[in-house]
């Protein structure tokens, strides 16, 4: 774990922004560590979730926003359910992820590419088109499909559609995305 | 009574593809149990995990479009089999209780949504609206001898303020259903531990580790099958079971059912209708052994 000099870079506007976007009071966290004890993802995090909470309290914007943990959190809600101070920790993790995205951090590029491919599929078709999503993910990451062994398992089951879904409200869904993009530019 | 068991139905995207057997078995058992499912006409994707990782207004708008469609159907309750869809629908409802947030969401929508639709899982209405006694009275082929672990996944019941159903740490709804069907339900310590969720494609290593633990635990307690209520969990545990075995040097061969498929079997429905043949790890032996007088 990295050692952070907290007196150097305290950013009070960062703390306020996190509190505003999440509706949570950061000072309620007394670092009991319950969230981390129940977090199934600590083994892949660079900062355990209680440490993220502490770093936000200490206004360490950059250290927090560049953390891989934000992108590996599965929103499993264990932390939120178990926090003795009723802090919605998973909500804070989500909000930090939004902020990291806005500031251009993507320390786990495969995860971001996957989420982006998923949403483009929804934007385009109104529902997820699984094969199209995979193709777009592979194109985005320039990776080979690491699941080729699954092909022979899935294909004979007749679960995968080779044509995208067709729904009438497709344009309505596209408009949701367009208006969202407009609003975020404001 | 069947009059009251009338709901708007949201299948969710995976129900039309990778978890088609969940949708098939849900429809089949509801028809048999006198539960009327009215599919929401022209429903769209709820945005799943990716939408809420980008923005909460966007995520809630994708859900709210569907809730607005339900309002038009004059039905008060929408149900879905998928916990991930359910979380999104419920979270949207919950957050849209605040005026400012609701206005922001409605700015993104053609048809604004102003609340009033209740959302529940299919699991919840079977347990609460129909009831276990009514279910039990319709069992024609008890699942005698079937030893199962019921795995709920991480978000079916959490966070409790949003999901409002069953116990967040130790849920019992599926355990109770399976017991009513005549199965032997073993105490499963990892009921609500995360399986690796949607990281199967971008970070397969995570799923290998987390889902691997679930399979190990199921084997340790002597379960011959796992039972799930979530399309992502089912896919991680079933479709990826061989990958998990190779990654962890294990030899699991545990079929992973949707709880709706087991209800269907106990109601005497045809396997084909329940999509039993869609499962990757073959459940043949486990199903054949049901009801066979145990040699022990
Ligand atoms: S469980 Fe709550 S109080 Fe304890 S460290 Fe985590 S966020 Fe802070
Ligand atoms: S929601 Fe995220 S941070 Fe919280 S326990 Fe789950 S994975 Fe960990």
């Amino acid at each position: 774990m990295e050692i952070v000099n907290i007196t150097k870079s305290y950013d009070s506007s960062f703390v306020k922004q996190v509190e505003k976007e999440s509706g949570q009071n950061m000072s309620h966290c007394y670092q009991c560590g319950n969230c981390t004890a129940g977090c199934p993802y600590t083994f892949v995090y660079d900062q355990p979730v209680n440490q993220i909470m502490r770093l936000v309290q200490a206004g360490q914007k950059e250290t927090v926003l560049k953390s891989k943990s934000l992108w590996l959190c599965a929103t499993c809600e264990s932390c939120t359910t178990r926090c003795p101070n009723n802090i919605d920790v998973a909500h804070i993790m989500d909000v930090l992820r939004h902020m990291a995205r806005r500031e251009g951090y993507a320390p786990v590029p495969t995860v971001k590419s996957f989420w982006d491919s998923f949403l483009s599929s929804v934007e385009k078709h109104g529902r997820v088109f699984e094969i199209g999503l995979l193709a777009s993910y592979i194109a985005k990451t320039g990776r080979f499909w690491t699941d080729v062994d699954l092909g022979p398992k899935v294909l004979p089951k007749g679960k995968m559609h080779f044509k995208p879904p067709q729904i009438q409200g497709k344009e309505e869904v596209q408009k949701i995305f367009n208006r969202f993009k407009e609003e975020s530019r404001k | 009574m069947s009059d009251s068991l009338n709901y708007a139905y949201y299948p969710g995207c995976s129900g039309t593809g990778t978890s088609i057997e969940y949708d098939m078995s849900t429809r089949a058992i509801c028809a048999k149990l006198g539960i009327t499912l009215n599919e929401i006409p022209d429903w769209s994707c709820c945005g799943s995990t990716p939408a809420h990782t980008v923005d909460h207004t966007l995520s809630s708008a994708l859900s709210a479009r569907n809730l607005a469609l339900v309002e038009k159907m004059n039905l008060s309750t929408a149900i879905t089999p998928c916990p991930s869809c359910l979380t999104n629908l419920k979270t949207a409802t919950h957050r849209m209780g605040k005026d400012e947030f609701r206005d922001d969401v409605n700015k993104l929508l053609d048809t604004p949504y102003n609340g009033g639709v209740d959302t529940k899982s299919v699991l919840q209405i079977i347990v609460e609206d129909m009831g276990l006694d009514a279910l039990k009275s319709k069992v024609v082929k008890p699942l005698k001898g079937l030893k199962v672990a019921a795995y709920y996944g991480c978000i079916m019941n959490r966070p409790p303020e949003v999901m409002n159903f069953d116990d967040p740490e130790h849920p019992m709804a599926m355990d109770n259903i399976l017991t009513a069907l005549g199965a032997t339900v073993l105490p499963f310590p990892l009921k609500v531990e995360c399986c690796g969720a949607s990281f199967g494609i971008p970070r397969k290593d995570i799923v290998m580790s987390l889902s691997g633990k679930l399979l190990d635990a199921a084997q340790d307690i002597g379960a011959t099958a796992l039972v799930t209520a979530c399309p992502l969990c089912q896919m991680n545990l079933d479709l990826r079971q061989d990958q998990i075995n190779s990654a962890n040097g294990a030899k699991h061969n545990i079929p992973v059912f949707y709880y709706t498929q087991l209800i269907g079997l106990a109601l005497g429905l045809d396997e084909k209708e329940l999509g039993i043949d869609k499962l990757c790890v073959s459940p043949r032996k486990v199903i054949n052994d049901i009801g066979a007088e145990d040699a022990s």
Side-chain angles (χ1 to χ4, degrees):
Chain A
M1 198 189 302
E2 188 184 348
I3 295 183
V4 179
N5 181 343
I6 58 170
T7 49
K8 217 171 55 188
S9 43
Y10 178 76
D11 181 343
S12 64
S13 65
F14 173 61
V15 188
K16 287 204 189 85
Q17 190 64 21
V18 175
E19 292 191 328
K20 182 169 170 253
E21 290 189 32
S22 66
Q24 307 298 306
N25 184 335
M26 291 307 303
S27 65
H28 286 176
C29 170
Y30 53 32
Q31 285 295 303
C32 69
N34 252 8
C35 47
T36 294
C39 176
Y41 290 79
T42 305
F43 77 114
V44 285
Y45 278 9
D46 51 3
Q47 309 274 5
V49 54
N50 73 301
Q51 184 76 5
I52 297 275
M53 295 295 288
R54 182 72 194 108
L55 287 164
V56 175
Q57 286 177 331
Q60 299 302 302
K61 182 172 175 182
E62 201 201 328
T63 311
V64 171
L65 294 190
K66 73 176 189 207
S67 167
K68 290 193 167 123
S69 309
L70 306 182
W71 299 85
L72 295 170
C73 161
T75 320
C76 79
E77 305 286 354
S78 169
C79 49
T80 296
T81 307
R82 294 176 190 171
C83 173
N85 294 321
N86 292 321
I87 304 171
D88 192 343
V89 189
H91 192 166
I92 294 173
M93 291 294 275
D94 225 14
V95 157
L96 292 171
R97 191 149 52 187
H98 303 164
M99 296 170 89
R101 198 178 252 278
R102 291 199 299 264
E103 308 244 343
Y105 294 96
V108 192
T110 52
V111 170
K112 179 170 183 290
S113 300
F114 181 71
W115 287 339
D116 289 350
S117 300
F118 186 101
L119 287 177
S120 339
S121 187
V122 179
E123 179 171 2
K124 212 155 144 196
H125 307 294
R127 287 183 195 163
V128 177
F129 172 38
E130 287 166 329
I131 287 189
L133 157 62
L134 267 182
S136 137
Y137 170 75
I138 292 166
K140 270 204 174 88
T141 51
R143 294 177 127 216
F144 290 109
W145 190 28
T146 52
D147 281 332
V148 270
D149 54 321
L150 298 185
K153 287 185 194 291
V154 174
L155 295 179
K157 304 281 181 195
K159 292 176 161 189
M160 302 297 264
H161 302 286
F162 291 91
K163 281 204 204 111
Q166 291 298 338
I167 71 162
Q168 286 167 6
K170 195 161 89 173
E171 278 88 31
E172 252 179 73
V173 176
Q174 277 160 7
K175 278 194 259 170
I176 295 178
F177 281 90
N178 292 339
R179 289 181 192 130
F180 167 67
K181 285 173 207 160
E182 276 164 34
E183 290 290 326
S184 351
R185 270 195 291 270
K186 278 184 191 166
Chain B
M1 174 180 122
S2 59
D3 263 11
S4 59
L5 299 174
N6 190 16
Y7 307 92
Y9 179 61
Y10 182 80
C13 297
S14 64
T16 66
T18 41
S19 70
I20 194 160
E21 67 271 46
Y22 196 13
D23 180 62
M24 290 166 71
S25 52
T26 299
R27 290 179 196 262
I29 63 163
C30 285
K32 185 82 180 174
L33 294 171
I35 299 169
T36 309
L37 301 178
N38 308 276
E39 183 165 341
I40 302 172
D42 212 47
W43 58 270
S44 49
C45 176
C46 70
S48 189
T49 303
H52 75 69
T53 67
V54 171
D55 184 86
H56 289 154
T57 316
L58 173 67
S59 168
S60 290
L62 291 171
S63 289
R65 174 180 181 267
N66 295 293
L67 296 170
L69 292 173
V70 178
E71 257 188 320
K72 278 196 214 146
M73 299 168 78
N74 283 324
L75 289 167
S76 57
T77 308
I79 62 173
T80 179
C82 173
S84 178
C85 301
L86 182 70
T87 299
N88 279 317
L89 297 172
K90 275 194 181 295
T91 305
T93 311
H94 189 73
R95 295 198 176 134
M96 286 175 83
K98 286 213 172 101
D99 296 348
E100 198 189 333
F101 186 80
R102 185 175 59 234
D103 293 346
D104 286 346
V105 172
N106 281 336
K107 266 188 222 158
L108 305 185
L109 294 172
D110 276 8
T111 313
Y113 173 65
N114 294 309
V117 176
D118 203 6
T119 48
K120 288 180 181 166
S121 61
V122 175
L123 180 66
Q124 181 170 7
I125 65 105
I126 292 176
V127 173
E128 290 180 354
D129 298 2
M130 171 158 182
L132 292 171
D133 291 339
L135 175 66
K136 201 169 175 175
S137 71
K138 302 209 166 148
V139 170
V140 296
K141 194 178 161 234
L143 305 180
K144 235 177 123 239
L146 180 65
K147 291 193 194 122
V148 294
Y151 171 57
Y152 295 74
C154 53
I155 51 174
M156 179 66 101
N157 314 92
R158 307 190 306 193
E161 304 77 49
V162 176
M163 302 314 280
N164 260 318
F165 169 58
D166 212 347
D167 189 281
E169 298 287 1
H170 189 54
M172 285 301 288
M174 273 201 290
D175 291 58
N176 294 338
I177 286 180
L178 293 160
T179 306
L181 302 178
T184 306
V185 187
L186 302 163
F188 187 50
L190 304 183
K191 275 179 169 181
V192 297
E193 283 296 308
C194 186
C195 67
S198 56
F199 288 118
I201 290 166
R203 283 294 299 267
K204 198 163 82 181
D205 58 309
I206 294 178
V207 173
M208 300 299 106
S209 167
L210 296 181
S211 286
K213 273 189 211 156
L214 295 170
L215 291 168
D216 292 347
Q219 177 169 320
D220 286 350
I221 62 168
T224 50
L226 264 161
V227 188
T228 58
C230 172
L232 272 175
C233 302
Q234 200 279 345
M235 198 162 61
N236 282 338
L237 294 165
D238 181 37
L239 173 63
R240 293 188 185 277
Q241 198 169 119
D242 279 349
Q243 291 182 337
I244 293 169
N245 284 339
S246 336
N248 302 343
K251 288 203 179 88
H252 298 298
N253 185 29
I254 306 175
V256 187
F257 292 100
Y258 287 105
Y259 78 96
T260 44
Q261 292 179 305
L262 290 182
I263 293 181
L265 290 178
L267 296 177
L269 295 176
D270 189 57
E271 285 189 16
K272 198 97 202 138
E273 239 186 310
L274 302 169
I276 297 288
D277 59 342
K278 306 276 182 197
L279 301 175
C280 292
V281 175
S282 168
R284 197 65 272 143
K285 179 169 185 320
V286 170
I287 293 181
N288 288 347
D289 286 351
I290 293 175
E293 266 334 302
D294 33 326
S296 59

